[in-house]
């Protein structure tokens, strides 16, 4: 996990740094989380928690084996026109819960530059309510892009309000690239 090394905060450092986007130039759908959780940060992989439903859902939608190695899963997702990233570049957060993100510490990713490099993106899908709220508050006001926005139920194991089948149905419709 990447953490700040500020000696003044030694022993009490909850600073986390997100990942680079995973996207081909021809991406048409962008899936945004808020910030990777502890398991993902430790493994340097998107959606690494073993109970996160993201990869099983993506596998069903795009017809690949969810047990494939990480690089192969990313390739299958990208072949389906989907890019992955997070709303936040950095923040302070103890643990993995979005509710624990310290609002005064967050830094949003540079979406204007990303969208300029990926002009085919037409739909942005939010993996959970917190990602959508962070984007609306910290990104959207400075962004001039005519995109479709879709808020989806979180694939996190902490979000148990919807069953896997319910999540799969909603995510299946959203992950299909816009025409």
């Amino acid at each position: 996990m990447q953490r700040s090394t500020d000696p003044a905060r030694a022993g009490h450092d909850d600073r986390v740094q997100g990942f680079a986007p995973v996207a081909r130039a021809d991406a048409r759908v962008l899936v945004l989380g808020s910030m990777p959780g502890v398991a993902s940060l430790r493994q340097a992989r998107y959606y690494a928690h073993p109970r996160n439903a993201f990869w099983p859902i993506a596998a069903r939608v795009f017809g690949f084996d969810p047990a494939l190695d990480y690089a192969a899963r990313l390739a299958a997702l990208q072949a389906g026109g989907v890019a992955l990233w997070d709303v936040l570049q950095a923040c302070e957060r103890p643990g993995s819960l979005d509710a624990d993100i310290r609002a005064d510490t967050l830094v949003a990713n540079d979406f204007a530059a990303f969208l300029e490099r990926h002009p085919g993106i037409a739909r942005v899908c939010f993996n959970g309510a917190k990602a959508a709220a962070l984007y609306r508050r910290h990104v959207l006001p400075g962004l001039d892009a005519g995109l479709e926005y879709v808020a989806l139920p979180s694939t996190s194991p902490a979000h148990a309000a919807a069953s896997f089948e319910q999540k799969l149905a909603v995510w299946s419709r959203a992950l299909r690239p816009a025409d």
Side-chain angles (χ1 to χ4, degrees):
M1 177 173 2
Q2 299 177 15
R3 293 189 178 265
S4 164
T5 56
D6 179 1
R9 291 189 47 85
H12 184 71
D13 190 2
D14 297 321
R15 185 88 179 152
V16 291
Q17 182 77 34
F19 305 141
V22 173
R24 289 192 339 197
D26 63 348
R28 295 178 10 186
V29 174
L30 173 60
V31 172
L32 293 175
S34 53
M35 171 62 74
V38 171
S40 292
L41 290 165
R42 284 188 181 134
Q43 295 180 46
R45 297 177 177 194
Y46 282 100
Y47 305 108
H49 192 287
R51 291 191 339 244
N52 192 298
F54 180 80
W55 290 113
I57 287 171
R60 292 271 292 272
V61 172
F62 294 107
F64 64 87
D65 182 348
L68 289 173
D69 69 33
Y70 182 66
R73 285 181 281 154
L74 288 178
L77 199 64
Q78 291 176 85
V82 176
L84 292 179
W85 208 15
D86 289 299
V87 176
L88 300 181
Q89 176 187 46
C91 68
E92 287 185 21
R93 180 197 63 207
S96 294
L97 295 177
D98 284 346
D100 292 337
I101 293 172
R102 295 184 182 128
D104 62 331
T105 67
L106 59 84
V107 177
N109 275 310
D110 185 352
F111 285 91
F114 177 83
L115 292 169
E116 188 174 305
R117 290 189 310 273
H118 301 88
I121 290 180
R123 181 181 304 139
V124 177
C125 297
F126 299 104
N127 190 345
K130 184 68 169 193
L134 289 168
Y135 186 91
R136 275 193 309 273
R137 180 167 186 165
H138 300 284
V139 177
L140 197 55
L143 194 62
D144 182 25
L147 300 170
E148 174 189 3
Y149 296 105
V150 181
L152 297 168
S154 174
T155 60
S156 167
H159 180 73
S163 70
F164 177 83
E165 291 74 22
Q166 290 169 324
K167 291 178 185 183
L168 176 63
V170 176
W171 275 85
S172 293
R173 288 188 298 276
L175 285 181
R176 292 294 178 191
D179 294 323

